[in-house]
Amino acid sequence: MMRHTTNTFLKVMVGLVLLLVSSNAVWAASGLPALTVQGSGQGQSYSLTLQVLILMTAITFLPAIVLMMTSFTRIVIVLTLLRQAIGAGTSPPNQVLIGLSLFLTLFVMGPVIDRINTDAVQPYMAGTLEGTQALEKGVAPLKSFMLEQTRESDIATFVKIAGQQAYNTPDEVPMRILVPAFVTSELKTAFQIGFMIFIPFVIIDLVVASVLMSMGMMMLSPMMISLPFKIMLFVLVDGWTLVVSTLASSFYR
């Protein structure tokens, strides 16, 4: 299942980039001189088409799309706060947290990716949709997902900042307003979840610190004593499964 979702995600990302590039077919015929090879009295020139140049430029925006328009932000922040709450330093390392966040993002965004692939990428590849129409249909599922996770108060705030009138329906909200509102809502939700995760670990730290103080062991670090108890508690309650399942279910209302 995960392999299928990953392959579909790659196809969708490539398809979206192709949609962006093909929105102006005139560029495909233009070229930029890239390299000239001189031989024995003969020379051969190689050119780089503007379409390829724009394709390579559009690929650089894929990390920004993953960060700002998917569930990645909430997931990686919660996992980072969890690591800080446990107090285990750099364990698990950043590479593990980022990798887990990426695959959880693929899991959460699976239905959205499938819709984009079905409604936009496949019809465009088959030639039944033009680039502009396919791009609109491809953005629609992603926009719908973002609207479901964004608070109305955050949208209203950015509408006010932009000096725009209130929109009658959520579908009328443009992406330039929806994206910052979505990120703001995701940050707020992530810190709310992180706060709930911090509470039991803070209680353990308080109990250990009180016991050490009552025993007169004020020179002994409470963090060193409480860390094994926090790890033991987290393992006994199957903490990773609870956190991951809670994160995944928080996107489905």
Side-chain angles (χ1 to χ4, degrees):
M1 180 65 180
M2 181 60 69
R3 182 178 181 181
H4 171 72
T5 304
T6 304
N7 293 334
T8 305
F9 175 76
L10 294 176
K11 292 179 182 178
V12 168
M13 290 295 101
V14 173
L16 288 178
V17 171
L18 291 176
L19 293 178
L20 291 172
V21 174
S22 62
S23 59
N24 192 344
V26 178
W27 292 352
S30 303
L32 296 176
L35 180 65
T36 301
V37 178
Q38 294 289 343
S40 56
Q42 298 180 350
Q44 186 174 3
S45 299
Y46 299 91
S47 64
L48 178 67
T49 63
L50 286 178
Q51 188 177 23
V52 175
L53 181 61
I54 297 172
L55 173 64
M56 300 304 296
T57 304
I59 290 177
T60 61
F61 287 95
L62 293 181
I65 294 175
V66 174
L67 286 173
M68 299 289 99
M69 301 175 68
T70 67
S71 59
F72 179 82
T73 300
R74 182 192 304 186
I75 294 172
V76 73
I77 290 178
V78 171
L79 294 180
T80 303
L81 291 176
L82 171 62
R83 183 177 63 181
Q84 294 178 357
I86 296 176
T90 59
S91 181
N94 291 331
Q95 294 86 341
V96 175
L97 292 184
I98 297 298
L100 179 58
S101 301
L102 285 174
F103 277 92
L104 281 178
T105 301
L106 288 177
F107 175 79
V108 173
M109 301 297 295
V112 179
I113 295 173
D114 291 338
R115 284 188 56 191
I116 295 175
N117 183 53
T118 302
D119 298 343
V121 176
Q122 293 300 329
Y124 172 74
M125 295 297 183
T128 58
L129 283 180
E130 296 181 357
T132 304
Q133 297 175 340
L135 183 60
E136 293 178 356
K137 288 184 175 294
V139 173
L142 189 61
K143 184 177 181 180
S144 177
F145 170 81
M146 296 169 64
L147 285 171
E148 292 177 356
Q149 309 301 325
T150 306
R151 295 175 175 82
E152 294 183 1
S153 59
D154 293 327
I155 296 178
T157 299
F158 284 95
V159 169
K160 182 179 179 181
I161 294 175
Q164 302 291 329
Q165 299 293 331
Y167 298 97
N168 296 325
T169 60
D171 294 335
E172 297 179 0
V173 179
M175 294 297 289
R176 64 186 182 89
I177 292 179
L178 179 58
V179 171
F182 170 75
V183 175
T184 303
S185 292
E186 287 295 283
L187 291 174
K188 187 183 300 182
T189 303
F191 277 91
Q192 288 177 348
I193 298 175
F195 171 77
M196 299 302 296
I197 292 175
F198 253 94
I199 291 178
F201 297 107
V202 171
I203 293 176
I204 295 177
D205 288 334
L206 291 176
V207 171
V208 172
S210 300
V211 171
L212 292 178
M213 185 173 295
S214 64
M215 297 176 63
M217 299 180 180
M218 292 177 292
M219 299 300 294
L220 186 61
S221 174
M223 293 296 297
M224 184 177 64
I225 303 301
S226 63
L227 178 59
F229 291 99
K230 290 190 289 187
I231 294 177
M232 181 182 64
L233 173 65
F234 194 67
V235 172
L236 289 177
V237 300
D238 199 7
W240 286 111
T241 302
L242 289 176
V243 172
V244 169
S245 60
T246 301
L247 273 174
S249 61
S250 66
F251 291 95
Y252 299 97
R253 302 177 180 177

